[in-house]
Amino acid sequence: MSAAYTLYAKPGFAVTTIERLCSEARISNRAFYECFGSQEELLQALHERCVEESLAAVSKALQDVPDTLEARVRAGVRAYVEFATADWRRARIMHVEVRRSGDVLMMSRQRAIDSFARLVEEAWADFPEPPGVNRRLVALGVIGALQELLIEWLLAKEAPDLDELVGVAVHLFLRALAP
């Protein structure tokens, strides 16, 4: 999994062969297939591990904050961004390779988005809902915005400063979630 973590992040899932993966991991092809049925299965396992760990980091951050919408948003966004960017490989797998893999991770990606949307909805549940606004759709929208900001951080010629990225994400979340 360690070799895949690096190779799937760069040069990328689509160009990483099982032979290269096994060579990097110093295992035989047979050993690979004893653990995973395919490269797609390994990518899914990596993606799901990253998602579980990031959900745990955000949930933990939300436990110890004042009971205000702004405090929850700031803590949750910062925890997610710090977790995702602490290792560029993680950010790349979660935000770039997951999309480039096409149908391979479609269901895994949808489960992840659903989990994050529920987390946003739970953090927002104690606060008034803007009239005529579907909480679920707003949660999906701000999650999508945060994902795009992280893709910009990964792919831009000059990556935005992480504090600036967090500030923009917090601004978007608060504008979307405020009554």
Side-chain angles (χ1 to χ4, degrees):
M1 283 187 83
S2 180
Y5 194 61
T6 298
L7 292 173
Y8 288 173
K10 194 169 190 174
F13 173 74
V15 297
T16 300
T17 64
I18 289 180
E19 290 73 24
R20 183 170 181 194
L21 185 62
C22 291
S23 173
E24 189 78 22
R26 296 187 175 117
I27 63 170
S28 68
N29 287 16
R30 180 179 171 185
F32 172 84
Y33 285 110
E34 287 175 359
C35 297
F36 298 98
S38 65
Q39 278 202 92
E40 290 81 5
E41 188 178 309
L42 174 55
L43 179 60
Q44 182 174 347
L46 282 173
H47 179 256
E48 289 176 357
R49 176 188 286 178
C50 291
V51 168
E52 288 170 16
E53 291 173 353
S54 61
L55 284 165
V58 172
S59 294
K60 184 176 186 283
L62 292 173
Q63 289 175 357
D64 303 322
V65 297
D67 196 22
T68 67
L69 182 60
E70 184 171 348
R72 287 182 186 179
V73 166
R74 285 191 187 285
V77 167
R78 179 156 299 279
Y80 184 78
V81 169
E82 287 177 354
F83 179 83
T85 61
D87 186 332
W88 67 271
R89 297 172 300 176
R90 178 187 306 136
R92 186 132 180 136
I93 287 169
M94 290 177 69
H95 298 288
V96 175
E97 293 305 314
V98 69
R99 291 176 179 204
R100 288 184 176 165
S101 67
D103 290 344
V104 171
L105 288 183
M106 180 72 75
M107 294 308 296
S108 182
R109 182 173 179 266
Q110 287 308 115
R111 282 192 301 273
I113 290 170
D114 181 63
S115 295
F116 282 108
R118 278 189 273 120
L119 194 61
V120 169
E121 290 176 274
E122 288 168 14
W124 187 19
D126 298 333
F127 302 97
E129 183 175 313
V133 172
N134 180 314
R135 282 185 192 249
R136 171 85 178 158
L137 296 178
V138 172
L140 291 170
V142 293
I143 289 165
L146 182 54
Q147 288 178 342
E148 291 302 320
L149 291 170
L150 284 163
I151 290 169
E152 177 69 11
W153 178 80
L154 283 162
L155 302 180
K157 198 172 229 177
E158 291 185 41
D161 177 75
L162 287 178
D163 286 333
E164 181 181 21
L165 191 145
V166 168
V168 168
V170 167
H171 174 79
L172 294 172
F173 269 70
L174 289 175
R175 294 284 186 225
L177 304 178

